[in-house]
């Protein structure tokens, strides 16, 4: 049997080397005779793991010293509420840019917690002739208008990515759940970055928060202690028992990324993978992309068959070739190939070859 390539949007494939190492040491971690799942999060061995994980992440993303790195519960959606509860207090307002499903979901949660009147939104997607593109307005106004601007630089469902930086007078909060560590970014441009882990970091449930220290002086609402950034900082992300196995796997993914040459090396491969797939889509009359070139996601490549009645046949034939989880999200239909850091170039090449063969077999 040839290798299975898993294009799932999340939980997504993890690097094979990381999974193998986890398997080898599952029952006996660090010579302790027990699994990493079975040791205290306060043991010196586990604390050493967390220190190494943080140091590796700081090195990979070049995170400045005035930022805290938190390992929290609750995935991406947990952070939708955490940012509101931690930063809006009783009278704060926030501005949300919307460019697809997840930024809209963040708005819904923010309005639920803060009230509709405290959350302003700007839709930055332009649709012309069925093609989506991003248009970011010039933001004027004063620093007092909003506590933060929230946006989602990679919309996992829609396959839209924003590569330019957001210029505005307010701290920028970015939901990088599906593109964190896929390319180099300047952390200094953000007040806070968060990401659910299950795409480029590790297993689901965990989320990573990178927050500038001055953000923690903003007034918070009364809230659940485990989502309180200040408590998380104070307790080294161990106010309560953290998701230790997910943290361990994240640490292994960071070590793997370092061994690959870090984020710049990863970014080069990611660009190569995405370029190959989009070039093929553009050259074909059988498939199409509905995203403008400058905003095509390098992580989630959404595409459609011109003849949508062939969708099911396409998915079944792909599965026969060990290419799995290509179905697009039900809200947008079509197909989606999620090609995160762990997807090797040969996986994308296998997909393109399959797509060519499929086209030949039906026309
Ligand atoms: N934001 C983005 C960009 C996502 O892709 C997702 C999940 N796919 C979420 C937030 C929600 O993450 P979770 O399911 O971990 O709450």
């Amino acid at each position: 049997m040839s290798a299975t390539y898993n294009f799932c949007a999340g939980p997504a494939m993890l690097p094979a080397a990381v999974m193998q190492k986890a398997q080898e040491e599952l029952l006996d971690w660090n010579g302790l005779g027990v699994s990493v799942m079975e040791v205290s999060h306060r043991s010196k061995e586990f604390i050493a793991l967390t220190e190494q994980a943080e140091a590796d992440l700081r090195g990979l993303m070049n995170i400045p010293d005035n930022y805290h790195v938190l390992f929290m519960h609750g995935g991406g959606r947990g952070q939708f509420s955490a940012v509101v509860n931690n930063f809006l207090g009783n009278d704060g307002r926030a501005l949300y840019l919307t460019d697809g499903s997840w930024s809209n979901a963040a708005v819904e949660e923010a309005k639920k917690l803060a009230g509709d009147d405290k959350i302003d939104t700007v839709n930055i997607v332009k649709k012309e002739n069925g093609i989506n593109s991003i248009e970011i307005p010039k933001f004027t106004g004063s620093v007092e208008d909003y506590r933060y601007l929230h946006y989602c630089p990679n919309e996992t469902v829609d396959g839209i990515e924003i590569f330019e930086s957001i210029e505005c007078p307010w701290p920028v909060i970015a939901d990088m759940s599906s593109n964190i560590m896929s390319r180099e970014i300047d952390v200094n441009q953000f007040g806070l970055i968060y990401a659910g882990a299950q795409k480029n970091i590790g297993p689901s449930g965990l989320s990573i928060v990178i927050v500038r220290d001055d953000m923690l002086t903003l007034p918070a609402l009364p809230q659940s202690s485990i989502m309180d950034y200040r408590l998380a900082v104070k307790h080294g992300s161990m106010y309560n028992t953290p998701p230790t196995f997910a943290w361990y796997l994240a640490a292994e993914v960071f070590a793997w990324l370092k061994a690959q040459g870090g984020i710049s090396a990863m970014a080069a491969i990611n660009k190569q993978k995405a370029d190959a797939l989009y070039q093929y889509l553009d050259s074909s009359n059988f498939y199409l992309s509905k995203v403008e070139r400058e905003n095509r996601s390098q992580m989630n490549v959404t595409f459609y068959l011109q003849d949508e009645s062939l969708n099911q046949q396409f998915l079944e034939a792909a599965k026969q070739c060990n290419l799995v989880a290509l179905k697009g999200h039900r809200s947008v239909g079509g197909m989606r190939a999620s090609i995160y850091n762990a997807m090797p170039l040969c996986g994308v090449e296998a997909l393109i070859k399959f797509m060519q063969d499929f086209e030949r077999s039906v026309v």
Side-chain angles (χ1 to χ4, degrees):
M1 194 178 113
S2 65
T4 294
Y5 294 114
N6 176 11
F7 295 92
C8 188
M13 70 178 286
L14 289 169
V18 168
M19 299 295 268
Q20 266 152 10
K21 181 157 187 282
Q23 185 181 41
E24 279 158 24
E25 57 192 30
L26 188 69
L27 299 182
D28 180 5
W29 177 65
N30 230 350
L32 294 176
V34 295
S35 171
V36 67
M37 280 183 273
E38 301 167 314
V39 299
S40 166
H41 52 296
R42 303 196 191 282
S43 64
K44 73 175 189 321
E45 291 82 5
F46 196 80
I47 296 288
L49 178 159
T50 65
E51 286 171 355
Q52 188 64 49
E54 178 171 338
D56 286 349
L57 183 62
R58 283 185 179 276
L60 284 164
M61 290 184 68
N62 214 358
I63 300 173
D65 288 346
N66 60 328
Y67 285 74
H68 302 281
V69 174
L70 307 175
F71 290 75
M72 300 188 76
H73 299 267
R77 276 188 190 272
Q79 296 305 317
F80 291 176
S81 51
V83 294
V84 175
N85 289 335
N86 278 280
F87 299 141
L88 285 194
N90 287 320
D91 56 353
R93 304 174 59 81
L95 180 62
Y96 279 66
L97 308 186
T98 59
D99 56 333
S101 309
W102 288 109
S103 47
N104 278 303
V107 167
E108 207 178 305
E109 185 76 355
K111 286 187 168 173
K112 184 171 127 188
L113 295 169
D116 289 7
D117 57 322
K118 299 280 175 41
I119 304 297
D120 288 341
T121 59
V122 180
N123 176 19
I124 54 170
V125 180
K126 199 174 76 179
K127 206 180 188 108
E128 237 170 43
N129 304 323
I131 303 292
N132 292 309
S133 63
I134 292 290
E135 225 171 50
I136 299 174
K138 247 196 139 27
F139 295 106
T140 50
S142 96
V143 68
E144 281 85 36
D145 293 345
Y146 298 113
R147 295 266 163 82
Y148 61 81
L149 175 150
H150 178 282
Y151 84 119
C152 179
N154 188 67
E155 279 286 3
T156 323
V157 168
D158 312 80
I160 294 178
E161 187 159 1
I162 301 171
F163 295 93
E164 65 198 281
S165 46
I166 308 281
E167 309 287 343
C168 69
W170 316 290
V172 174
I173 295 186
D175 172 3
M176 292 196 188
S177 293
S178 51
N179 69 344
I180 193 165
M181 297 189 293
S182 64
R183 56 184 164 86
E184 288 171 296
I185 54 149
D186 178 5
V187 172
N188 287 296
Q189 292 176 351
F190 300 90
L192 184 147
I193 293 167
Y194 67 85
Q198 64 270 25
K199 293 121 178 14
N200 264 343
I201 296 168
S204 59
L206 180 75
S207 57
I208 287 190
V209 176
I210 300 163
V211 57
R212 206 174 56 217
D213 54 12
D214 65 330
M215 296 291 291
L216 302 179
T217 60
L218 290 171
L221 287 168
Q223 60 174 308
S224 142
S225 298
I226 64 161
M227 299 308 275
D228 183 333
Y229 295 143
R230 296 150 192 89
L231 276 181
V233 169
K234 188 168 162 208
H235 293 272
S237 302
M238 292 197 187
Y239 180 70
N240 72 333
T241 313
T244 52
F245 190 64
W247 202 334
Y248 153 79
L249 273 178
E252 291 296 336
V253 169
F254 301 156
W256 176 82
L257 279 169
K258 273 174 64 181
Q260 306 308 300
I263 309 289
S264 59
M266 224 54 244
I269 301 169
N270 287 335
K271 182 166 178 346
Q272 208 183 342
K273 290 185 296 186
D275 283 354
L277 194 43
Y278 285 120
Q279 263 161 31
Y280 171 61
L281 290 173
D282 287 343
S283 71
S284 150
N285 294 321
F286 189 80
Y287 306 98
L288 79 152
S289 158
K290 294 187 183 173
V291 185
E292 189 66 50
R293 284 214 167 97
E294 300 82 72
N295 300 115
R296 288 175 172 176
S297 170
Q298 291 199 352
M299 295 283 100
N300 308 99
V301 179
T302 48
F303 64 95
Y304 295 80
L305 275 65
Q306 295 276 7
D307 178 356
E308 299 238 42
S309 70
L310 294 171
N311 281 358
Q312 201 47 38
Q313 201 180 325
F314 176 90
L315 289 167
E316 274 159 26
K319 202 165 162 208
Q320 291 296 317
C321 296
N322 299 320
L323 304 169
V324 301
L326 284 162
K327 191 169 184 204
H329 192 271
R330 61 193 175 282
S331 61
V332 292
M335 305 296 156
R336 171 175 54 181
S338 294
I339 50 174
Y340 300 115
N341 288 345
M343 175 61 68
L345 179 61
C346 56
V348 174
E349 287 167 348
L351 174 62
I352 296 171
K353 162 104 180 36
F354 162 76
M355 288 168 71
Q356 289 166 332
D357 291 347
F358 183 78
E359 174 176 354
R360 265 185 235 118
S361 73
V362 293
V363 291

